[in-house]
Amino acid sequence: MTLMLIVFFLLLFANVPIAFAIGIAGFFFFMTTSDLANMVAVQQFATGTQSFPLLAVPFFVLAGHILNVSGITSRLIKFSNLLTGHLTGGLAHVSIVLSTMLGGISGSATADAAVQSRILTEDMVKRGYSKGFSIGVIGISSLITSTIPPSIGLILYGFIGGVSIGDLFIAGIVPGILMCFTLMFTTFIVSKKRGYDEDFVFQKPSFAEVLISFKECIWALLFPVILLVGIRFGIFSASEGGAVAVVYALLVGKFIYKDLSWKNFKKAVIDAVEDNSMIMLIIASASIFSYVIAFENLPRSFSEFLTDLTSSPTLVLLLILLIVFIAGLFMEATANTLLLTPIFLPIAEQAGVDPVHFGILMIVLITLGGMTPPLGVTMFAVCSITKTSVAQFTKGAYPFLFAVLLLILIMAFFPQIVLFLPETFSGA
């Protein structure tokens, strides 16, 4: 087990793609132990993706790409700008509101940040915002997609941990909205302090303009609502909901927005295949790793270690979240979810932590790791697209990072913030 972890981290820091680093390290364990046949590793790799609930992932990824090529992003930007563009730090607020709405479409923080950094960064810099601040708010605000349905991270967590994906989707709504307001408040404070938009002439939109723009976006904004209602009331499962989402995206793109051409559809399919290939390869490789974790009884060892340190459920939760956050600094979110869920979820449940509550906190922290040095995938994406240094991004992002960490602590100490909605709906 120790040798496997050493091989894994050596490959990780050698910039080997995460799927291959996990897979090679897992195979290395089987080759160096006499307790398990090598064929078991091959079987785990082959069967790792053979699960009905996992069908939700490729379907939701495809649905998000179809809606994006159907012109929905430009409509949402216009609507976001009308809602918040007139505020101090207006374009930064636009980015945050856009992330909240795109979270119900893309399900991917990196995809959201990449789209926004291409579209908004130049305008933000022209308006007087520093480049670090501009890409910092774009990067951190994309974190909202980790909780707003259909979050890919929540689907994977629910699949690995045997937790209701419907409950996770409902539980993510309030944290997502709170994150939106927390980041907007931080944006307002920072913008006031730095004098952003002091010379900008604000033009508050009329109610009619907002209403017209809202009507243009209504079909995209209904997407997560239909999804939640369908799953919660048993109309379809999470996996079937992914297929419904694809059909819905096709109908909206072709017959309502009328922007879905054959060329755009082919681009959406190609992009979805590329994304899904990466995700499924990580899942298959992580299946070997997860098998080794179970074989070595790692969850029990970790549990005994943590309970020896403290018997307080709250402190156990905070220690787990600290480890999860540190892991997120070095590894990609999908891989972290697949590797850490089987280790820490049993410990959290043993400490009396609700699995839905723990799942929301864990996925937010893991995704946040992608927006921080040294190896944040989302951070590298926005820095690469905007040709900005990691130092600039870090300097611009730190106020938002601290604001999000404070919100996570509040949700950790007050679980009802997360559990209020799923408990309300389950009791209905």
Side-chain angles (χ1 to χ4, degrees), residues 268-321:
V269 171
I270 291 170
D271 290 343
V273 168
E274 290 176 352
D275 288 348
N276 284 316
S277 298
M278 176 192 69
I279 292 170
M280 290 303 168
L281 185 58
I282 292 174
I283 291 173
S285 299
S287 297
I288 304 172
F289 222 85
S290 297
Y291 184 88
V292 174
I293 288 169
F295 180 79
E296 291 289 302
N297 214 0
L298 196 59
R300 182 177 177 181
S301 300
F302 255 111
S303 177
E304 291 174 351
F305 171 73
L306 290 177
T307 51
D308 284 343
L309 291 177
T310 177
S311 58
S312 168
T314 303
L315 285 178
V316 170
L317 175 61
L318 292 177
L319 283 171
I320 293 174
L321 293 179

Side-chain angles (χ1 to χ4, degrees), residues 113-335:
V115 168
Q116 289 203 45
S117 59
R118 288 188 182 97
I119 298 171
L120 295 177
T121 304
E122 187 176 345
D123 288 339
M124 292 175 77
V125 172
K126 285 181 180 177
R127 192 147 141 180
Y129 306 158
S130 72
K131 201 169 187 181
F133 173 85
S134 302
I135 65 170
V137 70
I138 288 172
I140 300 296
S141 66
S142 68
L143 179 65
I144 299 171
T145 63
S146 67
T147 67
I148 300 292
S151 163
I152 301 301
L154 291 179
I155 294 173
L156 293 176
Y157 170 84
F159 161 67
I160 296 294
V163 182
S164 167
I165 295 174
D167 285 346
L168 289 167
F169 278 179
I170 293 175
I173 295 173
V174 171
I177 293 172
L178 286 176
M179 212 176 300
C180 173
F181 286 124
T182 299
L183 292 175
M184 288 183 71
F185 178 75
T186 307
T187 293
F188 180 80
I189 297 298
V190 174
S191 298
K192 275 286 188 184
K193 184 178 179 181
R194 298 182 183 177
Y196 294 150
D197 289 330
E198 281 186 340
D199 301 322
F200 185 78
V201 179
F202 300 114
Q203 185 175 357
K204 196 170 182 179
S206 65
F207 178 75
E209 288 177 312
V210 174
L211 186 61
I212 291 170
S213 182
F214 174 74
K215 287 179 179 178
E216 291 177 350
C217 300
I218 185 64
W219 292 103
L221 298 176
L222 278 175
F223 178 59
V225 176
I226 293 172
L227 178 66
L228 284 172
V229 171
I231 293 175
R232 169 46 57 191
F233 292 100
I235 301 172
F236 44 75
S237 67
S239 303
E240 294 164 344
V244 170
V246 171
V247 175
Y248 181 84
L250 287 169
L251 293 175
V252 170
K254 184 65 178 176
F255 298 108
I256 297 177
Y257 291 144
K258 299 179 181 178
D259 288 335
L260 184 60
S261 64
W262 177 245
K263 181 180 178 182
N264 287 341
F265 177 71
K266 285 196 295 184
K267 182 181 183 304
V269 171
I270 291 170
D271 290 343
V273 168
E274 290 176 352
D275 288 348
N276 284 316
S277 298
M278 176 192 69
I279 292 170
M280 290 303 168
L281 185 58
I282 292 174
I283 291 173
S285 299
S287 297
I288 304 172
F289 222 85
S290 297
Y291 184 88
V292 174
I293 288 169
F295 180 79
E296 291 289 302
N297 214 0
L298 196 59
R300 182 177 177 181
S301 300
F302 255 111
S303 177
E304 291 174 351
F305 171 73
L306 290 177
T307 51
D308 284 343
L309 291 177
T310 177
S311 58
S312 168
T314 303
L315 285 178
V316 170
L317 175 61
L318 292 177
L319 283 171
I320 293 174
L321 293 179
L322 177 61
I323 297 170
V324 167
F325 178 65
I326 292 171
L329 300 179
F330 298 96
M331 286 173 58
E332 195 270 337
T334 301

